[in-house]
Amino acid sequence: MKKYILAAVMAVSGLVFTVKAQVKTSSQEVVPELVKQRETQKKAIISSYMGMKNGLVISDAKKTAISSTEFSAALGQFKFKKLTLQQMNVATTTRISIKALADQIAASSSLDEQRKIMEKLSEQLWVIIDKLKPENTTVYQQKCPMTGVTWLSNDKKIENPYYPKNMLTCGEVIGEK
């Protein structure tokens, strides 16, 4: 009887060891794919934000709304990683607020309204941008000193999305991450 129990314990131990080895191997294979997927999500977030900004620069409410919808969807799918509980709470709360602002931009056909909402969205996005930007990417925070409004750009070149007709090049880089 003892021999049977010992044999059963050894068989179960062998099975557990085999399963652990398989899980470890498969998780090692998945990690690079997950990293690649997160980078793709980050690129979609930044690209769609820049689409919103550029839509406002050319005063195209429809393009801005479409990019805003894409931005909201991409941001909604993104999951924060490697944050403390406090950082996670701030990032999650901020994301909810930013997503709601993006949805408001998408629902609006008024350029003036889209620009007002974009001011708030840009300020909040800057707070968590380091968690959302792809590797080897620089995002610049720019500000129009005459109005005090800020926006983000992937280029140091100033293209003011809030006053493109009168003050297209009015602004300066005030931050970079």
Side-chain angles (χ1 to χ4, degrees):
M1 176 90 166
K2 288 182 181 180
K3 288 181 183 180
Y4 292 119
I5 293 174
L6 183 61
V9 168
M10 289 179 68
V12 169
S13 297
L15 243 167
V16 169
F17 179 76
T18 303
V19 169
K20 282 185 179 178
Q22 288 175 349
V23 168
K24 187 173 182 179
T25 303
S26 64
S27 69
Q28 289 171 342
E29 293 168 3
V30 172
V31 170
E33 184 60 35
L34 292 176
V35 169
K36 185 178 176 183
Q37 181 182 4
R38 284 182 58 75
E39 286 300 302
T40 300
Q41 288 176 329
K42 289 177 179 183
K43 287 177 185 175
I45 291 167
I46 298 301
S47 174
S48 55
Y49 173 87
M50 296 306 162
M52 287 190 297
K53 179 198 66 108
N54 294 333
L56 293 174
V57 167
I58 62 172
S59 297
D60 186 337
K62 187 174 181 179
K63 181 181 189 299
T64 303
I66 290 168
S67 294
S68 183
T69 300
E70 293 168 358
F71 175 80
S72 179
L75 189 61
Q77 292 176 352
F78 186 78
K79 299 207 182 338
F80 295 104
K81 302 281 184 189
K82 298 181 183 178
L83 301 177
T84 65
L85 181 60
Q86 183 179 4
Q87 291 171 329
M88 181 67 79
N89 288 338
V90 169
T92 302
T93 302
T94 304
R95 176 182 47 200
I96 291 167
S97 178
I98 293 170
K99 193 170 172 345
L101 292 168
D103 292 340
Q104 289 176 23
I105 292 171
S108 177
S109 59
S110 164
L111 278 168
D112 288 338
E113 188 176 332
Q114 288 177 331
R115 286 182 171 121
K116 285 179 186 175
I117 299 167
M118 186 72 162
E119 289 177 32
K120 295 174 193 171
L121 187 150
S122 295
E123 288 174 13
Q124 291 182 22
L125 183 58
W126 184 250
V127 173
I128 61 170
I129 195 65
D130 53 334
K131 294 161 185 58
L132 299 173
K133 70 179 188 71
E135 286 186 23
N136 303 318
T137 301
T138 303
V139 177
Y140 303 95
Q141 185 182 37
Q142 300 176 336
K143 180 178 183 176
C144 177
M146 295 180 73
T147 62
V149 295
T150 62
W151 65 93
L152 309 184
S153 180
N154 54 356
D155 189 2
K156 287 185 176 183
K157 180 182 174 187
I158 302 296
E159 289 186 323
N160 188 329
Y162 304 115
Y163 303 98
K165 290 183 181 173
N166 302 327
M167 298 189 286
L168 178 63
T169 59
C170 179
E172 60 190 359
V173 175
I174 61 167
E176 107 180 34
K177 291 185 180 181

